[in-house]
Each structure stands twice: as structure tokens, then as C-alpha cells.
Amino acid sequence: MGIPRIPLGKWVEALESWLENHVQPLFDVIKMVIGSVVDGFEIVFQAIPAPITILLLTGIAYALGRWRLAVFTAVGFLLIWNMGLWDPTMQTLALVLTSAVISIVLGVPLGIWCAQSNTVRNVVTPILDFMQTMPAFVYLIPAVSFFSLGVVPGVIASVIFAIPPTIRLTNLGIRQVPKDLVEAAEAFGSTPVQKLVKLQLPLAVPSIMAGVNQTIMLSLSMVVIASMIGAQGVGSKVYQAITQVKTGVGFEAGLAVVILAIVLDRFTHHLVHRKGRGSNV
């Protein structure tokens, strides 16, 4: 006699059906908001001529990392423009930035809450483990069910997959603030809010920025996967190359993703470095 099978799949499908029947208006609002944010980023990025955008990004790169980063940024984005992938790259950048903004808005407060309460941390940590180890493709199924095809389910799946580093490193950064400094702030009569805003968060900024860096990189890794459910951008070019076995097209699109990833990584890395030096002064 075999062990009775636990119908986990049926329970999940029942929960999905219940959510679709009772919470769909909320999902429609979320879809409208996220879609508007992505569209707003795309309009801004595509309204500015490519040469001006490249000059602006090169200037930011020089301010952050001097001439080496500036040269790489200029050459990299000029190559993307030359390959005819400028608009898809801007669409991808809009998707990634939207995912990053949502992850920061949700992840930083949750990380602060985890740092303030061991109970919350103990509850949230296994959930984060689950979110990071579950195959990313699985997130596409409920995302499509609740938000239909398009860029919005891609953003939702990216946020679920990419938000854990922001939460973890925000929690870690606040917990690593020296206890003697915290005790000194308390001795001078600081309220919990003052202690958090004026002491803990400023010292935790390098750790928080490192979490944001990882979140952006993980969002970029979801670009191709999100294209499978209708998200536009460079990922759709890669997916098209896979389905049509076009190696050259796939290489060019993949190179655009690599350039974008390196530039975003270097930008956030230098921001972390600067914040780290500032906190040590």
C-alpha cells in the first residue's frame, strides 16, 4: 500500500483560481501602475536622441569611474546603436529599472523590518530562500495568469526573482552597525526613528547599494526569460534568434545585454565605493 499523494498542485491551482475570482481588480490596478512606469521610462529613453543619451551616460561614467569607464560606456553604447539595437536596449533598460525601483521600494523597508525584529527575520529568511531557489520559469505561470501576456508579468517575475538580495543586504548592513555607536545614540536620547535615519541607514548604505547592484544584475538575467511571455526588448531578439537558429542575431543581442549589464554593474559599484569612502570619513 503506497503513501497517499499530497495534492499540492491542486491546492496551488485552487488558490490561483480563488485569487483570480476575488482579487483580480487589485491585479488590474497593479498591471496599470507597472505598465505606466515601464511606458514612462521607455518614452523618456526613446524621446532623447541616441547620441545625446550616449553623451549623458558617458558623462556619468566619467564622473563615477573616470576615463576608463567613460570610454567603455561610449564605445559600448555606440556599438549597440550601430547594430540597430538601440530601441530594444532602451526597452530592456526600462524593464530593468522598473524592476529595480519596485525591488528597492519594497525590499529596503522589509530589510529594515528584518533588522529591527528577529522574529520577522526568521519568518522572511526561508521565504527568500524559496524565492531564490525556485526555477525562474515557474514564476511566469502565475504572472501570466494574473496579468496576461506582456511586459508587466515579466516585471513581476523579475521582482520576485531579484528582490531577495536587497532585503538580505539591507538587513545585514543595519545589523552590522557597531553596537557602541547605537548605544551612544540611545544614551543621547535618540528616538528609534532618529537612530535609524541618522545613524544606521547612512552606515548601511554601502551594503544596501551592493544589494541593489545584485538586484539589477538578477533583473537583467530575467530579460530573455521575460521575453517568452511577451516582454519586448533585447531579450525578444535573443528568443527570436533561438527559435530561428540565427547565431549572428543571437550574438549581437547577447552582446548588447552584456554591455548594458557591465555598465550598470560598474555604475552601481562605483556608487558603493564612493558611499563606502564617505562613511569612513
Side-chain angles (χ1 to χ4, degrees), residues 117-146:
S117 170
N118 289 332
T119 301
V120 174
R121 182 195 61 180
N122 293 336
V123 171
V124 170
T125 297
I127 297 176
L128 297 180
D129 294 337
F130 177 86
M131 292 166 63
Q132 286 187 293
T133 53
M134 176 67 71
F137 287 94
V138 176
Y139 297 132
L140 301 182
I141 304 171
V144 170
S145 298
F146 298 144

Side-chain angles (χ1 to χ4, degrees), residues 147-221:
F147 302 101
S148 73
L149 296 174
V151 69
V152 174
V155 171
I156 296 294
S158 297
V159 169
I160 296 173
F161 185 69
I163 197 174
T166 297
I167 299 174
R168 290 184 189 276
L169 290 176
T170 299
N171 169 47
L172 180 64
I174 293 176
R175 287 181 178 272
Q176 287 184 335
V177 173
K179 294 188 180 297
D180 54 346
L181 294 180
V182 176
E183 292 172 355
E186 293 172 346
F188 280 102
S190 297
T191 65
V193 174
Q194 290 174 329
K195 182 175 64 177
L196 175 66
V197 173
K198 295 184 178 181
L199 174 65
Q200 293 173 312
L201 281 179
L203 292 178
V205 163
S207 179
I208 295 173
M209 288 300 299
V212 171
N213 174 278
Q214 292 187 25
T215 291
I216 292 174
M217 294 300 102
L218 289 174
S219 297
L220 266 171
S221 71

Side-chain angles (χ1 to χ4, degrees), residues 32 64 103 118 123 126 132 148 189 192 215 218 235 247 249 274-275:
M32 181 184 67
L64 292 175
S103 297
N118 289 332
V123 171
Q132 286 187 293
S148 73
T215 291
L218 289 174
T247 306
V249 174
R274 285 192 167 199
K275 292 294 183 180

Side-chain angles (χ1 to χ4, degrees), residues 13-68:
E13 291 175 358
L15 175 61
E16 180 184 6
S17 299
W18 186 89
L19 291 173
E20 288 180 350
N21 294 330
H22 295 84
V23 196
Q24 192 60 47
L26 175 61
F27 293 145
D28 292 338
V29 172
I30 294 173
K31 180 179 179 180
M32 181 184 67
V33 172
I34 294 177
S36 300
V37 173
V38 175
D39 291 341
F41 276 128
E42 285 187 20
I43 291 172
V44 171
F45 293 150
Q46 295 182 352
I48 303 174
I52 296 178
T53 301
I54 293 172
L55 285 175
L56 290 174
L57 291 173
T58 302
I60 295 172
Y62 182 79
L64 292 175
R66 298 307 176 188
W67 65 271
R68 291 183 180 178

